[in-house]
Amino acid sequence: MPEQRRIALIVNPSAGGGRANRAVPAVEAAFEAAGISHTVERTRSLEHARELATGAAARGEVAVAFGGDGLVGAVAGALRGTDGVLGVLPGGRGNDFARVLGIPLEPVAACSVLTTGVERALDLGEAGGRPFVGVASCGFDSDCNRIANETRIVRGNLVYVYAALRGLVHWRAARFRLELDGQSVFELVGYNVVAANSKAYGGGMYIAPDASLEDGMLDVLTIAEMPKLRFLRLLPTVFRGRHVRRAEVTVRRARELRVSADRPFTMYADGDPIAKLPVIVRAVPRAVRVIVPV
């Protein structure tokens, strides 16, 4: 990393049940040992995180998001189309953006990427005009994300499995209407509509195993209606991306997706609510510069 590069560490103190906040002293020690000039700011909200990222970019500092994927998406969105540079230290529950990029999932180990990594221009997604870095989805996932965000019983990655099991009990199939790139229109009765900028979500679930952060496209995945027991057996295969072999799973690619449904759904992206249906989801090519492993 060039000598003049300085770090603005943007910390979500509540990420991962306080994991990121507890790790700040060790991260600062790693920076100091490497001779990295840095400041530390703790966020009060995602909007505050965006303000901190904008300020860091204006000062020529690397805006390092230390929290979950929601924080990474907020910081990336603030840097979109600027000369600002994004760094990532995983401190949330899922940390899927770091996982896909090959960044170590232990925060102190991940500090080494900030010193030895290279900058790459990566795509963002945008749903309802709001940016995200990973995966946007709706339908069954809407229920699961809400349950995962509300629960205090289960911690870590297991919260997503818990949420899926609870959500499945009361789930009934929805009818979705999809329009891809303003041309291909089709309807689906089933579980989910997924617009993937990246490969993984939910703490290591490779929902779109062939998605790329550098192709300017979304992988649009749908899961059609099937018996709940069969869907339950499908879930473990998502962790290795093998679900895409099933007949009920379809993957298409598009620059833009319009999706609506026969009942209200909230679309979630990077673990947070991002838009109500109907919504337009777009790929934003080469939108932000990110420090990634060599």
Side-chain angles (χ1 to χ4, degrees):
M1 184 169 87
E3 223 175 274
Q4 65 270 27
R5 185 176 285 166
R6 292 166 291 130
I7 297 293
L9 189 66
I10 300 170
V11 185
N12 178 355
S14 62
R19 173 187 176 223
N21 200 43
R22 291 191 297 271
V24 168
V27 167
E28 285 200 89
F31 286 162
E32 288 162 7
I36 300 174
S37 172
H38 68 280
T39 60
V40 178
E41 295 280 359
R42 289 170 172 82
T43 65
R44 298 187 295 271
S45 64
L46 289 182
E47 184 54 42
H48 184 220
R50 295 182 189 100
E51 293 171 5
L52 294 172
T54 301
R59 296 188 301 270
E61 299 170 346
V62 177
V64 176
F66 188 15
D69 286 341
L71 178 67
V72 176
V75 171
L79 299 177
R80 170 184 167 181
T82 73
D83 292 331
V85 178
L86 169 67
V88 179
L89 290 185
R93 288 186 301 198
N95 304 309
D96 289 293
F97 190 64
R99 178 180 283 105
V100 168
L101 291 177
I103 295 172
L105 298 184
E106 199 284 314
V108 172
C111 290
S112 64
V113 176
L114 300 175
T115 63
T116 63
V118 296
E119 294 177 16
R120 274 174 33 204
L122 301 183
D123 302 343
L124 292 178
E126 184 183 84
R130 293 179 56 188
F132 64 92
V133 292
V135 175
S137 60
C138 59
F140 180 70
D141 276 0
S142 303
D143 293 353
C144 292
N145 273 286
R146 176 184 52 78
I147 293 167
N149 290 345
E150 290 175 353
T151 189
R152 298 294 179 268
I153 301 171
V154 183
R155 295 187 180 275
N157 289 358
L158 285 177
V159 71
Y160 300 106
V161 177
Y162 166 79
L165 293 175
R166 269 197 57 190
L168 195 57
V169 173
H170 300 292
W171 171 256
R172 58 186 176 86
R175 180 177 295 276
F176 300 97
R177 184 181 187 274
L178 291 82
E179 180 180 331
L180 278 64
D181 291 334
Q183 298 175 352
S184 175
V185 179
F186 64 97
E187 291 194 350
L188 163 86
V189 176
Y191 285 83
N192 269 340
V193 175
V194 176
N197 181 52
S198 184
K199 300 176 186 292
Y201 71 167
M205 301 176 78
Y206 281 80
I207 188 68
D210 295 322
S212 169
L213 286 160
E214 298 178 275
D215 63 356
M217 303 284 285
L218 300 169
D219 277 31
V220 179
L221 179 141
T222 57
I223 302 179
E225 187 173 17
M226 69 182 84
K228 289 183 178 180
L229 184 58
R230 189 186 305 171
F231 181 76
L232 193 60
R233 287 198 293 262
L234 178 77
L235 289 177
T237 69
V238 181
F239 285 94
R240 294 191 178 183
R242 293 178 178 171
H243 61 294
V244 296
R245 304 173 185 174
R246 298 289 297 268
E248 297 90 348
V249 178
T250 302
V251 182
R252 300 170 175 87
R253 305 183 77 238
R255 291 179 174 83
E256 180 181 288
L257 164 71
R258 294 171 181 256
V259 58
S260 58
D262 63 353
R263 62 180 190 264
F265 282 110
T266 297
M267 176 168 277
Y268 281 73
D270 302 333
D272 293 317
I274 194 168
K276 301 281 189 185
L277 267 58
V279 66
I280 298 173
V281 190
R282 296 187 177 95
V284 187
R286 300 175 59 84
V288 63
R289 291 191 295 159
V290 185
I291 301 176
V292 302
V294 177

